[in-house]
Amino acid sequence: MARDRTVTGIVGALFVGFTTSLVIGFAILAFTLDEGAVRPLATTAGGLLAIFLALAGLIVQRLARPLDRLSLDVLIVARENLSHRFALGTRHWLGKLIQGFDTMRDRLTGAEARGAQALAEAQNQGAEQKRWLEAILLDLTEGIVVCNLQHQVLLYNQAAAELLGAAQNFGLGRSLFPFLAREPVLHALERQMQRLESGWAAPSARFMCGVAGGQRLVGARLGIVFDAKGGPNGYVISFAELSEEETALAKRDDLLEMATEELRAPIANLRAAAETLSQNPDLPDAQRAVFQKVVADESMALSRRLEALARGYRELGGARWMMAEIHSNDLITSLIRRLTGTPLQLTPTGLPDWLYGDSLSLLILLELLLRQLHSATGCEVFDIAVSRGDNRVYLDLVWQGEPIPAGQLESWLSQPLIGGLGPLTGRGVLRRHGSDTWSQSAGGGTARLRIPLASAQTGGPRERPLRPQRPEFYDFDLLVHPVPTGRFTDRPLKQLTYVAFDLETTGLRPTDGDQVVAIAGVRIVNGRILTTETFERLVNPGRQIPEASIRFHGVTDEMVRDKPPFAVVLPAFHLFAADAVLVAHNAAFDITFLHRAAAGMLHFDQPVVDTLLLSAHLYPAEADHSLDAIAARLGLHVVQRHSALRDSLLTAAILLRLLDRCEERGITRFGQLAAASDMAAQLRAHQHELERHAAGSAS
Amino acid sequence: MSWVVSASILVVDDEPNIVLSLEFLLKQAGFRVRTVSNGEAALAAIAEEPPDLLLLDVMIPGRDGYAVCQEIRSNPAWRDMRIIMLTAKGGDIQREKGLSLGADEYVTKPFSTRELVERVRRVLDRQG
């Protein structure tokens, strides 16, 4: 450890050391000299010593001591008092140094004053903003809590503490979760993060959440808080008492139930009795009296129920359940994540869609049903199929085996759900979604549990408007040489594995240098579209994407700038499509691009099914065989983020429908299908030739 | 057509007043009618003598109408039995559930008794 030394001390020590050395030196010299030579030496040495001591005194007085004094003063200025003056008098050699220190001190004083002023202003501003924020937060009946991503509370208002029933223990820096149920918050956060990643950020996620140990529910919204760089670094939850709202909603449900169910029965009784009386004027008196009594009793009962209904309705508020648009893929991904660590395997199939509901309660319900199905049937492997009906999206859990009896299903639904949703049961969740569930045979030795949910037709993010259709593409080489069917010839259609795919390109002419900008595909196994077994890549075409083609696919130069070229993407797609029959709409177009890019590198030797040709074969009377026209005819609907994957999914769904039609017409083997397609191709080629000739002779 | 008139019908409903009317009108139309008021009694009555047609209310005590319907359809011997569900549950999804579980028709209360008798005839006729 360094000791504090003064300059005076150091200089003094140096002089003492030097003087002592000098004296000792003279003494030693004196011993070696004659007695006569010692005297003059001593005189000279004494003189030198006197001069040296005088010089030393001067240095200590004018330099060392002032320096020590100055260092003390500087310390006082630096540590305690910026306006402290240097008290060195005039007898020193430190003029420039003192001047320099004085200037520095003055500048520091100025900077400090300006800093203090800025700080005071900022503090005032901060205090004012804080007062505003406090006033707003205090005035809100909604609870507000801001947390970091470690779920520690950074800010909250009084309403939050009161709503959470936690006025005593709630506080900054503490975890949110003893007070608000963990699972709904984490799920809402996950949903928002998913949406952020997919580029579909909604302002906030709505959800319901248990508080006070699950005794009550609050309706909440969660929004992400971003740091200065735009990355998520926390979240804000606003929430309001739902129990009053919930009571009102429960009452509304009761009233609706009364109106739609309880009233039906007495009206039916009344109507039946009245009609019996009017249609049978010759009824014996005794029987007539019985029916007349029914009319009187039921009329009275009806009046009473109607009064109760009207009274209840007047007392109702205008509350709404906490529903939001959910993408089926997000729901199913979360469900699969929840099942991690269990023996249950879930395969998503069908066409993804938007539905309307409360994400977490649906998730917990689906998990409950899967676990119960597993323990009732012993099955570990399930499909979860999404399909669209009239204004509804069906979620089907599908397994090998028998349907579940309605009574057993009802007992599963009557259990309270676990997972931070208060006192809700599975039946309650279904009722809240205006839904029901049942189990029935799904053919082929499988059974399903069906949950119909409202389709979010208007709620979900807008679909891309219908784009112009790609013109029908002909490659006569492909048409002249029939598609080889190889080992697939005798295979039943539905047992084959297919990959429906679609390319987006810079233009329509591969021979003129047009390139691929996107490729997507989806696998179809055993007649099921495997929703999550998809391939989707953007590709850098190495040239500018013309504005005209952006209109087709929406892929811009910006989007592909850092993407790999097709030569890099193609081997991955080759692997994805291995052993599968390729399926494309207007396939000649996509296959031409694929083969040109693969030339000399890869070989796509599997057969190709063209849904355009297949549709032309099955529906010869229809004029329009574009993807969207066929989809509209078959009532198919795909919501998807990017056009290549959307078209792949649509092509897959169209293929499955067309395969059903094929089977109805006795086309059951792949060889027959290929022959039918070839026939359609030849026909269309002839038609095309005729049209060209007609156009040529007209001009 | 003659067998339709003499067909047997089992009415399953726990509302005595509707049963009273239905029994009277169906008998008047020439059908043989039995009545029970809950799911278990319905299955017992069917086991004893399967009717040609079941008029089945959904909300009955014990096993509800959906469960009774599903159980009937799971028994090959009863697969041809016609089932008309009568219910105060008027939603589209409940209707779809009823039809999915094997009902031939799904009639929402209140209904015209004359139309109901007509519908019973039509459904039985389909079988013939």
Side-chain angles (χ1 to χ4, degrees), chain A residues 213-278:
Chain A
Q215 295 303 300
R216 289 181 301 125
L217 277 173
V218 292
R221 279 176 184 276
L222 180 144
I224 305 283
V225 179
F226 298 94
D227 61 19
K229 289 178 187 160
N233 73 341
Y235 55 90
V236 55
I237 296 180
S238 58
F239 51 96
E241 185 72 76
L242 199 67
S243 58
E244 281 176 28
E245 208 177 349
E246 196 188 23
T247 313
L249 285 161
K251 272 187 193 160
R252 173 183 296 209
D253 279 353
D254 289 347
L255 288 171
L256 279 173
E257 205 166 290
M258 269 176 81
T260 57
E261 295 178 4
E262 289 188 28
L263 287 185
R264 284 178 193 275
I267 291 172
N269 305 347
L270 191 59
R271 187 167 167 184
E275 285 177 0
T276 307
L277 283 170
S278 68

Side-chain angles (χ1 to χ4, degrees), chain A residues 156-415:
Chain A
Y156 67 97
N157 66 352
Q158 194 56 34
E162 282 167 14
L163 282 167
L164 297 177
Q168 296 301 311
N169 304 316
F170 200 63
L172 299 178
R174 306 183 87 153
S175 172
L176 178 68
F177 292 137
F179 307 103
L180 214 55
R182 173 187 288 268
E183 203 160 10
V185 173
L186 293 184
H187 180 64
L189 190 59
E190 183 188 338
R191 269 173 60 206
Q192 275 308 87
M193 292 292 195
Q194 273 172 352
R195 288 186 164 197
L196 268 181
E197 280 167 20
S198 69
W200 274 0
S204 60
R206 301 179 69 190
F207 62 104
M208 293 204 309
C209 193
V211 296
Q215 295 303 300
R216 289 181 301 125
L217 277 173
V218 292
R221 279 176 184 276
L222 180 144
I224 305 283
V225 179
F226 298 94
D227 61 19
K229 289 178 187 160
N233 73 341
Y235 55 90
V236 55
I237 296 180
S238 58
F239 51 96
E241 185 72 76
L242 199 67
S243 58
E244 281 176 28
E245 208 177 349
E246 196 188 23
T247 313
L249 285 161
K251 272 187 193 160
R252 173 183 296 209
D253 279 353
D254 289 347
L255 288 171
L256 279 173
E257 205 166 290
M258 269 176 81
T260 57
E261 295 178 4
E262 289 188 28
L263 287 185
R264 284 178 193 275
I267 291 172
N269 305 347
L270 191 59
R271 187 167 167 184
E275 285 177 0
T276 307
L277 283 170
S278 68
Q279 286 162 19
N280 297 279
D282 304 332
L283 217 54
D285 284 350
Q287 262 183 316
R288 174 171 296 276
V290 171
F291 283 108
Q292 280 169 339
K293 185 169 185 314
V294 171
V295 172
D297 290 350
E298 292 296 342
S299 305
M300 288 294 289
L302 198 57
S303 305
R304 280 197 299 272
R305 288 186 194 196
L306 193 67
E307 269 311 306
L309 187 67
R311 200 168 43 245
Y313 190 74
R314 281 195 297 273
E315 290 165 5
L316 263 184
R320 289 274 181 278
W321 287 112
M322 307 288 292
M323 296 284 175
E325 305 86 34
I326 311 164
H327 195 264
S328 61
N329 274 358
D330 292 343
L331 188 71
I332 292 167
T333 307
S334 300
L335 181 61
I336 290 172
R337 199 170 301 142
R338 287 177 76 97
L339 295 174
T340 313
T342 73
L344 300 179
Q345 288 173 38
L346 201 58
T347 307
T349 68
L351 294 180
D353 213 329
W354 283 94
L355 49 97
Y356 201 61
D358 173 60
S359 181
L360 183 70
S361 61
L362 285 177
L363 207 52
I364 292 175
L365 173 66
L366 285 167
E367 187 184 344
L368 167 96
L369 290 173
L370 274 168
R371 286 177 185 276
Q372 294 286 10
L373 282 170
H374 169 57
S375 60
T377 64
C379 277
E380 292 185 346
V381 178
F382 294 87
D383 277 2
I384 180 160
V386 181
S387 59
R388 165 82 68 114
D390 281 346
N391 299 320
R392 280 203 275 282
V393 174
Y394 294 112
L395 291 183
D396 290 339
L397 300 173
V398 185
W399 65 96
Q400 283 287 333
E402 295 298 314
I404 300 299
Q408 190 174 5
L409 188 53
E410 205 51 51
S411 76
W412 298 349
L413 294 173
S414 62
Q415 298 166 11

